[in-house]
Amino acid sequence: MLRKKSIPKEIKSQSFLQGAFILAASMIIVKTFGMVYKIILANMFGGVGTGLFNAAYALYNPLFMLATAGFPIAISRMVSESVANGRYKDVKKIHRVSVPIFIVTGCVCFLLMIGGSFIYVNLIKTPNAIFAILALAPTVLFGCLMSIYRGYFEGMRNMVPTAISEIIEATFKLFVGLTMAYLTIKFGTNQYETTGYVLGMKCSSLEQATDYIMPIAVGAAITGISLGGIMGFVFLYIRYRKNGDGITQEDLANSPRPRSDRETIKILVRTAIPVGIGAILLSITDVIDTSIVQSRIYDIMQTNPEALLNVYGTLLPDSVYYAGTTHTYLFGCYGYSSTLTMLITALTQVFGSSALPSVTAAWASKDKAKLKQSLEAVLRITLVVTIPSGIGLSVLSEPILGLIYSSPNVSNEVEIASKVLTTMGIAIIFVGTATPICSMLQAVGRVDLPVKLMAIGVAVKIITNYVLVGIPEINIQGAPIGTFVCYLFISVVGVFFLCRHTKIVPNFMSILVKPLLASLVCGVGAFVSYHLFDYFMSGKIATIFAVIVAIIVYIFCLFIFKAIQKEDVLQMPKGKKIARFLERKGVF
């Protein structure tokens, strides 16, 4: 009789929270690099350049999701389940059959992005976005190739390779991208000052020269992203070939006979398709924002151009208004606020990725106590992050944006974006919570539910955006409202079905009420301290001190309200030492 092997040492060394901490640590580095990258570019490019940048990403995201089609999550889930059952030959086979799938879909979607870019830029009335889109296209292919290894390693509960590859990507994005953007702008400016021409076109002013340079500079900045994708893949490939995955020859010898290639592919595709459709639907929200927001504002400018001037007054630059790029400019302002929210959603995506193997293993082993503990840990940690972050961004929207986007050239954009961020801050609570909820539904076998919830949510968002953005008095402010309604529905209904399917009702006092109370106190502390400090020091210093006060107040309240459980601490790196220290202090 074949003996069921224990999980290899490298795999079982990472619990949910340990894996989450590894990915979270890398994600903080990655998103910090990303924020610095986008902030510098925003200060450098202004509203129009930021709009071109975001337009390229809005097309890239759904194509990348289409290319991967949920396979990374499906691979992670299948690998985790196979490891839990000691089926190590299946683990190897899952990796082998996934390689050609990713290569083919990556190449197809790479070509689709190049070919579809010309149609897309006409649809959003922004032809100058073509350079950024073409520069970003290779990232689709190499992102797919990286997904082969990321999903595999995550399923083995080894989050380190994913973390390192993401840092490599971010490093190239920041340093290479910014350098190329700077050199492009410098080259174009010098050419204008020397000859009066830019790229062979006669320019009557520096502003006109900047208009010609900007689309090329945005494309140059994005080239760093594509190079980062290439180098991230090279690292993962070498890492896999050199170090393997921790499965020994003894593990393979004692493993049951694997499924056939056909059966493995069938299960992989059956698992991936609903997950992929759900991911595509979520990424389509970016295209919806880009297309509807820009086209509806463009329509306002065609039918009632004075309406937006009445709303924004001098905040809408004459150069933008008379050049007919108001729709791109306002979408760029919207992008200023979304830059701040991406760190929060990235962290909760980490929780979802790290939770999937743990929840899958508990579900496969029918360990209801372990499953309840895992579900509650994911929800609690997610809400501990999203609620205070969202409230803080909403309360301090204008001072935080003013602190980050410090260039006087973008002061108008900051003022417009701050109103967007006030609503987006509340919406981000549900945006960040939806991803882990969907991951857990997938982990317990209900891969069909996230796609259904997302389809309804996206439909609601389309209708909300179309109606609200088309009202001149609301315009760009309608987009975060649509986001809020969409993800509120997905989060609330997702939790309902998760409870019904698992027959587990989480302790909502622990996972929701306590973090909410702590977050409300944190929000009040941030608001009061900012206005207090603002009397005695500059607005930027006051903002920094207010954020520090808010964090201290929040951490203090978490322990006062006992929103963090001992079990959560035990799963952290060095968790036993931390738990013993907190026990001595009477926290637990």
Side-chain angles (χ1 to χ4, degrees):
M1 179 182 293
L2 292 173
R3 180 168 55 91
K4 180 178 176 180
K5 287 293 295 176
S6 61
I7 298 174
K9 183 177 180 180
E10 182 181 10
I11 301 173
K12 69 179 182 181
S13 63
Q14 294 178 10
S15 67
F16 154 62
L17 280 182
Q18 288 171 335
F21 266 92
I22 291 170
L23 287 182
S26 73
M27 193 59 65
I28 289 172
I29 297 173
V30 168
K31 292 305 178 182
T32 299
F33 278 17
M35 285 179 64
V36 171
Y37 171 80
K38 294 188 75 174
I39 288 166
I40 293 176
L41 288 184
N43 284 311
M44 188 186 301
F45 292 157
V48 173
T50 304
L52 296 175
F53 184 95
N54 291 338
Y57 257 95
L59 178 62
Y60 161 80
N61 285 332
L63 281 173
F64 176 70
M65 292 301 175
L66 178 63
T68 55
F71 282 108
I73 293 176
I75 291 171
S76 177
R77 185 176 185 276
M78 289 178 65
V79 167
S80 175
E81 188 173 2
S82 297
V83 168
N85 293 320
R87 301 184 63 90
Y88 299 113
K89 290 179 182 177
D90 280 307
V91 171
K92 292 288 188 180
K93 180 161 289 191
I94 290 165
H95 173 73
R96 181 170 59 80
V97 302
S98 67
V99 172
I101 295 175
F102 275 100
I103 292 175
V104 171
T105 55
C107 289
V108 169
C109 289
F110 165 71
L111 296 175
L112 279 175
M113 185 164 180
I114 292 177
S117 61
F118 299 95
I119 300 172
Y120 173 71
V121 296
N122 288 326
L123 178 67
I124 64 173
K125 318 295 184 186
T126 313
N128 283 339
I130 190 68
F131 302 101
I133 295 171
L134 294 178
L136 190 58
T139 312
V140 176
L141 174 59
F142 288 97
C144 286
L145 297 178
M146 282 191 288
S147 294
I148 299 171
Y149 298 95
R150 286 177 175 172
Y152 184 74
F153 282 121
E154 288 168 15
M156 302 285 284
R157 302 190 202 178
N158 182 6
M159 309 300 173
V160 173
T162 294
I164 296 175
S165 67
E166 288 173 342
I167 293 173
I168 291 172
E169 274 192 281
T171 302
F172 272 82
K173 174 180 178 179
L174 177 62
F175 294 104
V176 177
L178 289 179
T179 299
M180 295 187 71
Y182 171 78
L183 292 177
T184 302
I185 292 175
K186 186 175 178 61
F187 170 79
T189 303
N190 289 341
Q191 190 178 53
Y192 165 73
E193 292 174 348
T194 304
T195 66
Y197 285 82
V198 173
L199 302 176
M201 292 175 284
K202 178 69 175 177
C203 300
S204 59
S205 65
L206 179 60
E207 289 74 18
Q208 187 180 24
T210 301
D211 290 340
Y212 286 138
I213 298 168
M214 189 65 64
I216 308 296
V218 175
I222 287 179
T223 302
I225 299 174
S226 294
L227 290 174
I230 294 171
M231 298 309 298
F233 163 69
V234 169
F235 162 76
L236 286 170
Y237 180 77
I238 293 174
R239 166 66 175 77
Y240 179 79
R241 298 293 296 179
K242 184 178 179 180
N243 298 334
D245 49 25
I247 297 177
T248 66
Q249 289 301 316
E250 182 184 0
D251 293 321
L252 293 173
N254 289 283
S255 175
R257 181 185 297 274
R259 304 180 185 93
S260 66
D261 286 4
R262 182 175 180 180
E263 186 179 0
T264 300
I265 293 173
K266 183 179 179 181
I267 296 173
L268 186 62
V269 171
R270 189 172 62 221
T271 306
I273 285 179
V275 175
I277 293 174
I280 291 168
L281 284 173
L282 281 181
S283 65
I284 282 176
T285 60
D286 290 334
V287 177
I288 293 169
D289 280 338
T290 304
S291 302
I292 293 182
V293 169
Q294 293 201 69
S295 63
R296 292 293 280 165
I297 294 175
Y298 183 84
D299 290 342
I300 293 173
M301 291 300 297
Q302 296 301 307
T303 57
N304 188 10
E306 297 295 324
L308 292 179
L309 280 179
N310 293 335
V311 173
Y312 294 108
T314 57
L315 294 178
L316 196 60
D318 290 342
S319 59
V320 170
Y321 181 78
Y322 291 110
T325 56
T326 300
H327 58 299
T328 306
Y329 175 81
L330 290 178
F331 185 69
C333 295
Y334 176 70
Y336 279 53
S337 65
S338 63
T339 298
L340 287 179
T341 61
M342 69 181 185
L343 179 59
I344 302 168
T345 55
L347 281 174
T348 58
Q349 286 174 355
V350 164
F351 299 152
S353 298
S354 184
L356 194 144
S358 298
V359 175
T360 299
W363 178 257
S365 61
K366 303 186 187 305
D367 188 339
K368 193 166 184 178
K370 180 66 175 176
L371 181 61
K372 186 176 190 296
Q373 181 184 355
S374 298
L375 295 179
E376 288 186 343
V378 176
L379 290 171
R380 182 165 49 248
I381 297 300
T382 298
L383 292 172
V384 160
V385 172
T386 57
I387 297 177
S389 300
I391 291 176
L393 288 175
S394 183
V395 169
L396 297 178
S397 59
E398 187 167 0
I400 288 176
L401 284 171
L403 173 67
I404 294 175
Y405 299 103
S406 56
S407 172
N409 297 327
V410 297
S411 58
N412 290 358
E413 288 92 329
V414 167
E415 189 168 341
I416 295 171
S418 65
K419 296 179 176 61
V420 175
L421 186 57
T422 299
T423 305
M424 183 63 79
I426 303 303
I428 207 66
I429 297 173
F430 301 100
V431 177
T433 305
T435 301
I437 290 172
C438 290
S439 293
M440 289 188 289
L441 284 169
Q442 292 157 0
V444 298
R446 289 308 307 266
V447 292
D448 60 309
L449 274 177
V451 65
K452 294 174 182 176
L453 297 177
M454 292 168 195
I456 298 172
V458 169
V460 171
K461 182 176 176 62
I462 291 173
I463 296 170
T464 305
N465 280 3
Y466 186 86
V467 173
L468 294 183
V469 177
I471 300 173
E473 292 75 17
I474 298 177
N475 60 83
I476 194 74
Q477 308 298 329
I481 297 174
T483 300
F484 169 77
V485 175
C486 170
Y487 287 96
L488 172 65
F489 169 80
I490 293 173
S491 298
V492 173
V493 180
V495 168
F496 169 78
F497 280 111
L498 184 64
C499 296
R500 192 171 79 168
H501 182 67
T502 60
K503 296 181 174 57
I504 291 174
V505 178
N507 184 344
F508 287 102
M509 175 61 72
S510 170
I511 67 175
L512 175 61
V513 176
K514 291 180 179 180
L516 178 60
L517 289 174
S519 300
L520 290 174
V521 176
C522 166
V524 172
F527 181 82
V528 172
S529 60
Y530 170 74
H531 287 282
L532 179 63
F533 290 133
D534 196 38
Y535 280 108
F536 306 103
M537 55 190 70
S538 70
K540 293 179 181 179
I541 302 298
T543 303
I544 294 173
F545 275 101
V547 171
I548 293 173
V549 168
I551 292 172
I552 293 172
V553 168
Y554 181 62
I555 293 173
F556 181 75
C557 289
L558 283 180
F559 290 114
I560 290 295
F561 297 140
K562 299 187 182 299
I564 297 294
Q565 303 293 315
K566 181 179 178 180
E567 291 75 15
D568 300 331
V569 176
L570 288 173
Q571 293 188 68
M572 298 178 183
K574 308 295 182 183
K576 291 183 179 179
K577 291 183 179 179
I578 298 173
R580 283 197 298 268
F581 172 78
L582 294 175
E583 280 182 326
R584 289 198 299 269
K585 298 299 180 180
V587 174
F588 298 130

